[in-house]
Amino acid sequence: MIEMKHVSFRYDAGKEILHDISFAVAKGESVGLIGANGAGKSTIMKLLSGILSGEGETLICGTPVSRDNLPEVRRKLGYVLQDSDDQMFMPTVYEDMIFAPRNYGLSKEETEKKVDAVLEQLDLTELKHSRNHKISGGEKRMAAIATILTMEPEVILMDEPTASLDPYNRRLVINTIRALPQTKLITSHDLDMILDTCSRVILIDGGTIIADGRAEEILADKELLEAHRMELPLSLTRRQQ
Amino acid sequence: MSRIDQALTEFREMDELADLDSPVHRFPASVKLLLTVLYIMTVLSFDKYNLSGLFLMILFPLFFFQLSGIPVSKCFYKLRYVLPLVMAVGILNPLFDRTPLLQLGSLTVSGGWISMLTLMMKGVFSLMASFLLVASSGISAICAALRRMHVPSVIVTLLLLTYRYITLMGEEVSVMTNAYHLRAPEQKGIEYSAWGSFLGQLLLRSMDRADDIYQAMLLRGYDGRFHYVEEKRAGWKQWLTGLLIAALIVLCRYYNVTELLGRLFVR
């Protein structure tokens, strides 16, 4: 569903940000992309969504991510941005939710059905007509996920989905992510969340893949994590103590 | 709360006013938009000395403010920075136009004073009507109405995004001024020497955020066309009501109702 083959990227003539990145994510798989600040996580997400283009081949559901294919790729892809304020650019939750379906040519009735179904799925029905600037950070994050789900994407990319959320809303978002059947690639520094939601983890540093394997194994490898400016997830730290 | 934050809150309050429920709010935005344009054109078309005829036109916004539940004071408060400019438009008229027009006892009122008053009234009435339209409809509904009237998509999208980006820019200004004042608590404003870098940073940050939002739009299938929330189409009853109001506006333009009423009492 997600594939990168020998992908490299640099900004103009600057330093190489990503070097020879290759990995594949199978249908229904949930993969965590971890790494310290500046490791290249966000660049990978931007390459996958076609915001940036680099050398090598990037495929989403078998379609190459290229300028010509962008509408087709983006139809299959939902990208939950780190900053929900950027994602919720319309005045109300409802207007944001209908944005994608209407752009993709769905009728008013079909859109309405989809919006109601997603809101019910995420238990957000009460937020339907709320003003975006009036809802809390947690609600906004959930609403941002809802705006993506109305597109019925096959692949979901999430950039720091639990960043700056309180424990209650963090747990809510984690449970929501776990319940989503789509193929997911999640970047985060919240390794406990990654452990909770992903079966596989890719660790990157300095623009290259350092490790790719089972989440329980990589996230329990203290030496590996510390060598790449990361720490054990809190839940595993307690267990090891 | 800083002045920027207060301004942002006030700006957003316009959207909240649009969420109220009243006959005016329920009225389709397209009909309201047409009536507002007609009203403003009518008000502007009054002769510069027709003070009594123009005066009656205030009844329209006043009536609809009352009906909508939006306090008129809110309108004047929100427009407090614009109103003085509008009021200043005809301020020089009394100097240039000294034709005696009215005798009040021993006081002679020149045409300049009357035309100054009519100009002020025209400005204030037009602002009141525009405010009522936005406050009772919301920007999305107005944009949807404009599209239904075949106003080019580029113009409507520009209007909507300008509205959106004003708040965005305001948010950036707020963040930056707060950060500045936290490190310069003794200063009342931003020092002149910092203005250049402040504005430069503001521009860069705003452009950055605008780009992020644009990317978010593209990721959700935006292709240059906005699909607005479709408002309920105006039924025949609403069109009829709109026509009646329009007829009343036109009637007030061509018949000096205040004068007619006055004649009932004074012979």
Side-chain angles (χ1 to χ4, degrees):
Chain A
M1 294 299 272
I2 302 174
E3 211 172 345
M4 276 192 147
K5 293 179 189 167
H6 307 291
V7 173
S8 297
F9 178 80
R10 70 174 74 229
Y11 285 102
D12 298 324
K15 190 185 150 212
E16 203 171 43
I17 309 288
L18 293 179
H19 177 70
D20 197 23
I21 297 281
S22 295
F23 69 89
V25 180
K27 189 174 183 182
E29 207 177 0
S30 187
V31 177
L33 191 60
I34 62 166
N37 287 336
K41 303 185 299 290
S42 297
T43 310
I44 289 179
M45 298 299 240
K46 285 179 180 171
L47 285 166
L48 287 169
S49 56
I51 295 174
L52 296 174
S53 59
E55 293 163 30
E57 201 177 5
T58 306
L59 298 130
I60 296 288
C61 305
T63 311
V65 181
S66 66
R67 187 179 280 262
D68 297 335
N69 292 336
L70 273 187
E72 194 189 335
V73 166
R74 285 174 173 172
R75 192 151 189 174
K76 295 170 184 164
L77 186 92
Y79 189 173
V80 181
L81 303 177
Q82 183 178 349
D83 189 347
S84 305
D85 281 328
D86 291 343
Q87 186 125 19
M88 307 292 288
F89 46 78
M90 297 297 280
T92 63
V93 171
Y94 175 70
E95 283 170 85
D96 254 311
M97 288 189 73
I98 66 164
F99 189 83
R102 297 293 285 156
N103 279 334
Y104 290 129
L106 261 71
S107 70
K108 195 183 159 193
E109 292 72 26
E110 283 174 308
T111 305
E112 200 68 34
K113 264 189 206 164
K114 204 162 270 188
V115 167
D116 287 339
V118 170
L119 285 172
E120 206 176 307
Q121 180 191 346
L122 302 187
D123 200 17
L124 296 175
T125 311
E126 280 179 16
L127 286 188
K128 188 174 178 181
H129 294 291
S130 303
R131 296 259 162 214
N132 285 336
H133 67 266
K134 285 285 207 177
I135 58 179
S136 70
E139 288 172 332
K140 208 175 271 182
R141 190 64 53 89
M142 289 297 288
I145 295 173
T147 63
I148 295 306
L149 294 183
T150 52
M151 297 162 62
E152 291 186 344
E154 292 173 49
V155 172
I156 298 178
L157 306 180
M158 290 181 162
D159 196 354
E160 299 281 359
T162 52
S164 51
L165 291 183
D166 61 40
Y168 174 80
N169 282 303
R170 179 181 167 275
R171 181 49 54 192
L172 204 64
V173 169
I174 289 173
N175 291 341
T176 305
I177 295 171
R178 283 168 67 104
L180 297 175
Q182 286 92 341
T183 308
K184 298 179 285 280
L185 183 65
I186 306 166
T187 72
S188 185
H189 294 299
D190 180 353
L191 298 187
D192 284 286
M193 182 273 290
I194 294 287
L195 196 61
D196 262 3
T197 55
C198 302
S199 54
R200 182 178 146 205
V201 159
I202 299 172
L203 168 65
I204 57 167
D205 195 8
T208 52
I209 294 182
I210 304 296
D212 181 348
R214 286 184 55 231
E216 293 87 351
E217 283 172 16
I218 292 182
L219 295 176
D221 192 337
K222 193 177 175 205
E223 277 177 28
L224 175 74
L225 292 174
E226 284 180 355
H228 298 284
R229 291 178 291 152
M230 306 194 78
E231 284 180 344
L232 280 178
L234 206 64
S235 53
L236 294 186
T237 312
R238 282 200 199 110
R239 220 180 286 166
Q240 286 194 1
Q241 281 169 352
Chain B
M1 194 189 280
S2 74
R3 283 170 72 179
I4 296 288
D5 288 330
Q6 196 185 343
L8 273 173
T9 309
E10 277 183 38
F11 192 75
R12 284 169 175 155
E13 215 183 348
M14 290 296 285
D15 286 332
E16 285 158 36
L17 287 174
D19 288 340
L20 296 174
D21 187 30
S22 78
V24 179
H25 287 81
R26 287 192 292 272
F27 215 62
S30 44
V31 185
K32 278 190 278 189
L33 180 67
L34 284 173
L35 283 173
T36 307
V37 172
L38 174 76
Y39 174 81
I40 292 173
M41 282 167 63
T42 309
V43 162
L44 295 179
S45 73
F46 270 86
D47 184 79
K48 62 178 180 178
Y49 297 135
N50 191 353
L51 190 63
S52 60
L54 183 62
F55 189 70
L56 192 78
M57 296 303 284
I58 198 173
L59 291 180
F60 288 97
L62 282 184
F63 174 75
F64 290 112
F65 264 100
Q66 193 63 33
L67 200 62
S68 67
I70 300 169
V72 187
S73 56
K74 195 143 256 173
C75 165
F76 286 114
Y77 181 74
K78 284 197 186 294
L79 298 174
R80 63 193 180 279
Y81 299 116
V82 191
L83 282 171
L85 295 174
V86 173
M87 306 283 267
V89 170
I91 209 145
L92 293 176
N93 284 19
L95 296 176
F96 296 113
D97 182 0
R98 291 170 186 246
T99 325
L101 213 69
L102 199 68
Q103 193 70 40
L104 294 171
S106 59
L107 186 74
T108 309
V109 181
S110 71
W113 285 104
I114 303 288
S115 64
M116 183 188 80
L117 274 176
T118 53
L119 264 178
M120 285 176 177
M121 283 161 72
K122 283 176 184 183
V124 173
F125 295 176
S126 302
L127 277 178
M128 285 172 79
S130 310
F131 179 90
L132 186 62
L133 173 71
V134 180
S136 67
S137 312
I139 194 71
S140 305
I142 293 172
C143 287
L146 286 168
R147 278 302 294 141
R148 280 186 60 194
M149 286 168 195
H150 302 287
V151 173
S153 171
V154 178
I155 296 173
V156 181
T157 305
L158 206 66
L159 176 72
L160 188 76
L161 291 183
T162 306
Y163 193 85
R164 169 73 183 108
Y165 285 124
I166 285 174
T167 44
L168 199 114
M169 212 160 163
E171 284 166 13
E172 292 302 324
V173 174
S174 168
V175 169
M176 286 176 68
T177 44
N178 286 339
Y180 183 93
H181 288 306
L182 284 169
R183 284 176 290 160
E186 302 289 310
Q187 286 177 30
K188 277 196 171 173
I190 292 162
E191 212 174 61
Y192 291 113
S193 59
W195 278 24
S197 54
F198 191 89
L199 285 175
Q201 277 299 317
L202 175 65
L203 184 71
L204 289 175
R205 288 170 65 110
S206 304
M207 279 168 65
D208 215 28
R209 277 207 68 190
D211 189 52
D212 287 344
I213 289 178
Y214 181 61
Q215 292 299 343
M217 288 163 73
L218 291 178
L219 285 166
R220 271 149 67 196
Y222 179 66
D223 59 358
R225 287 171 300 154
F226 252 101
H227 300 276
Y228 302 94
V229 177
E230 283 173 41
E231 61 162 359
K232 254 200 305 189
R233 281 182 177 265
W236 68 269
K237 279 183 190 169
Q238 285 151 327
W239 278 115
L240 190 68
T241 315
L243 273 174
L244 277 172
I245 298 166
L248 263 173
I249 292 171
V250 175
L251 191 79
C252 290
R253 170 68 184 86
Y254 289 103
Y255 293 95
N256 193 334
V257 183
T258 32
E259 206 175 292
L260 290 173
L261 284 172
R263 275 190 207 156
L264 285 176
F265 301 103
V266 184
R267 273 197 165 261

